[in-house]
Amino acid sequence: MIFNSKVIALVAVRLKSKRLKKKAFCSLYGKKVIERLTERLKHSKYLDDIIWCTSTNNEDDPIVNLAKLNSVNYFRGSENDIISRFIGAANKFNSKIIIRVTGDNPLTDPSLTDLLIKHHVLNNSDYTYSESFPVGTRSEVMSINTLLKLEKIVKDKDSSEYMTWLLKRPEVFKIFKLNYYIKNSNIKFTIDNLEDLKFLNIIYKKFQGKPPNIKKIISWLNNKPEYFAYQKRNNKELNSPIRSDVDTSFNVNSS
C-alpha cells in the first residue's frame, strides 16, 4: 500500500448489453475482453486490488465463475444502483480510494490511471478525471466519502448509471480535472460494436497480446491511416444520452 488508504479498481461489468451482446465476454486475441482489461490493469503501480463489480442478477453468474477461475476478486450488488454497488464493494474490500473502470475498455491505460491516482491524492480531491485521454483508455478516481455523499443527495437511484455526469458538479464536490496532452487523442478505443472489436483485435495481434501504453499505440496507428481514419471521433464525446425518464438532480436539503 503506497498511500494511506488501500486503492482499488472497481471494474463495472455486466453481461446485459444492447449493441454488442455480452461484450465483456467477447474474444480479444484469444481471451475474453474482461480478462485482457484485468491483465492491463495489473501493470498499475498504485492499485492494491482489482475487483470485478457486477450485479446479483443471475444473468451475471458467468462473470463470478470466470472471476473465480482467474483468482480475481469480485463483488455483487444492485443491478441498477451503481453507486450503492460501488459503496458495498469499497466497504467489503476496505478501501477509501476507488478507481472506476468500465469493463468494455480493455485498453484502459494503467500509467494514465496512476497519474490520476497521484493527482487525486496530492490535491485531496473528491473526484479526479481527465478528458484528455482517448475514449476507451480513461478511468476515474473518487473517494468513498464522495460516493456516500452522492448516494445521500441524488434523487433518482436509477440515475447512478450516469455517475460520471453526476460527479462533475464543482458546486458540490472538490474536483480535479487533469489536462494531459496526447496527440490524436480523438481516437476511440472502447468496444460498442463488432467493428470496434475487430479494431482492438488488430491492435492486440500487432503487439502479440501485450499492447504498450496508449501513446505508442497511437504512434503506430499514425502510420496506418486505414485504421486511424475509422476510429476518429470528430471530437464528439461518446457518452450515451441521458434518458428522459431519469432524474439526475440533487436533493440539496440532504447535502
Side-chain angles (χ1 to χ4, degrees):
M1 188 183 299
I2 294 176
F3 304 114
N4 292 330
S5 170
K6 186 178 181 182
V7 181
I8 63 172
L10 295 183
V11 180
V13 55
R14 296 203 53 216
L15 293 181
K16 183 180 180 180
S17 51
K18 295 179 180 179
R19 283 177 286 187
L20 182 60
K21 299 296 183 183
K22 299 182 179 180
K23 55 186 173 181
F25 270 37
C26 288
S27 178
L28 183 57
Y29 197 69
K31 292 186 178 181
K32 291 179 173 57
V33 166
I34 187 67
E35 293 175 305
R36 289 297 185 190
L37 169 60
T38 303
E39 284 178 348
R40 193 158 170 84
L41 290 175
K42 286 180 179 179
H43 291 286
S44 164
K45 296 185 297 182
Y46 298 149
L47 286 178
D48 295 302
D49 204 352
I50 300 166
I51 293 95
W52 293 357
C53 201
T54 192
S55 83
T56 54
N57 191 312
N58 292 340
E59 184 181 15
D60 292 323
D61 287 350
I63 294 173
V64 173
N65 295 335
L66 186 64
K68 292 177 180 178
L69 187 64
N70 284 277
S71 299
V72 175
N73 283 322
Y74 66 90
F75 179 83
R76 306 189 79 165
S78 171
E79 182 175 3
N80 298 316
D81 188 349
I82 300 174
I83 298 171
S84 71
R85 196 196 310 170
F86 271 36
I87 290 173
N91 286 333
K92 178 179 178 179
F93 293 96
N94 192 30
S95 173
K96 294 181 180 179
I97 301 177
I98 302 156
I99 318 304
R100 184 190 184 196
V101 180
T102 304
D104 56 359
N105 290 347
L107 284 180
T108 299
D109 197 300
S111 61
L112 300 180
T113 295
D114 285 345
L115 195 59
L116 288 170
I117 295 170
K118 184 177 179 180
H119 281 281
H120 182 82
V121 173
L122 287 174
N123 291 280
N124 192 28
S125 302
D126 294 326
Y127 174 64
T128 302
Y129 74 106
S130 178
E131 294 177 346
S132 305
F133 310 157
V135 171
T137 70
R138 304 171 186 172
S139 53
E140 307 161 85
V141 188
M142 57 201 74
S143 303
I144 180 62
N145 288 337
T146 304
L147 291 181
L148 290 169
K149 182 177 181 179
L150 184 60
E151 182 184 48
K152 185 178 179 182
I153 64 178
V154 70
K155 288 183 178 181
D156 185 356
K157 300 304 179 184
D158 283 344
S159 70
S160 68
E161 66 177 289
Y162 305 110
M163 189 191 297
T164 298
W165 190 88
L166 290 168
L167 287 169
K168 291 178 182 177
R169 304 283 185 90
E171 73 277 13
V172 180
F173 302 109
K174 183 180 179 182
I175 297 173
F176 183 82
K177 181 180 179 180
L178 177 64
N179 293 313
Y180 185 83
Y181 176 73
I182 298 180
K183 184 179 180 181
N184 290 325
S185 63
N186 61 339
I187 308 173
K188 82 178 187 73
F189 294 96
T190 192
I191 298 176
D192 290 318
N193 51 51
L194 280 174
E195 288 301 312
D196 294 336
L197 183 63
K198 291 177 182 177
F199 175 65
L200 262 66
N201 265 296
I202 289 170
I203 293 173
Y204 265 80
K205 182 178 180 180
K206 160 63 183 176
F207 296 103
Q208 298 181 329
K210 297 179 180 180
N213 65 56
I214 206 64
K215 281 187 173 182
K216 291 182 179 179
I217 293 174
I218 291 175
S219 178
W220 172 69
L221 285 173
N222 284 334
N223 298 315
K224 299 289 180 179
E226 66 273 29
Y227 305 141
F228 186 81
Y230 165 73
Q231 287 298 326
K232 277 199 171 183
R233 298 184 296 117
N234 297 320
N235 296 315
K236 293 180 180 179
E237 192 56 70
L238 297 176
N239 291 332
S240 299
I242 296 175
R243 302 198 323 262
S244 59
D245 62 322
V246 172
D247 184 359
T248 56
S249 61
F250 287 163
N251 183 0
V252 292
N253 294 326
S254 299
S255 60

